[in-house]
Coordinates of all heavy atoms in Angstrom, one line a residue:
Y8 N -0.6 8.3 -1.8 CA -0.1 9.3 -2.8 C 0.5 10.5 -2.1 O 1.4 11.2 -2.7 CB -1.3 9.8 -3.7 CG -2.4 10.5 -2.9 CD1 -2.3 11.9 -2.7 CD2 -3.5 9.8 -2.4 CE1 -3.3 12.6 -2.1 CE2 -4.5 10.5 -1.7 CZ -4.4 11.9 -1.5 OH -5.4 12.6 -0.9
L11 N 4.1 10.5 -2.1 CA 4.7 10.7 -3.4 C 4.7 12.2 -3.8 O 5.1 12.5 -4.9 CB 4.0 9.9 -4.5 CG 3.8 8.4 -4.1 CD1 3.1 7.7 -5.3 CD2 5.2 7.7 -3.9
A43 N 6.4 17.1 -21.5 CA 5.7 18.3 -22.0 C 4.7 18.8 -21.1 O 4.6 20.1 -20.9 CB 5.1 18.0 -23.4
L95 N -2.6 12.4 -9.7 CA -2.5 11.2 -10.6 C -3.9 10.5 -10.6 O -4.3 10.1 -9.6 CB -1.4 10.3 -10.1 CG -1.2 9.0 -11.0 CD1 -0.8 9.3 -12.4 CD2 -0.2 8.1 -10.3
S108 N -7.0 -1.1 -7.0 CA -5.5 -1.3 -7.3 C -4.8 0.0 -7.5 O -3.7 0.2 -7.0 CB -5.3 -2.3 -8.4 OG -5.3 -1.6 -9.7
G121 N -19.3 4.2 -14.6 CA -20.5 3.3 -14.7 C -21.6 3.8 -15.6 O -22.7 3.4 -15.5
E158 N -15.9 5.3 -25.7 CA -15.3 5.5 -24.4 C -14.6 4.3 -24.0 O -15.1 3.4 -23.4 CB -16.4 5.8 -23.4 CG -17.0 7.2 -23.5 CD -17.7 7.6 -22.3 OE1 -17.7 6.9 -21.3 OE2 -18.2 8.7 -22.3

Side-chain angles (χ1 to χ4, degrees):
Y8 67 88
L11 309 179
L95 178 62
S108 86
E158 286 202 359

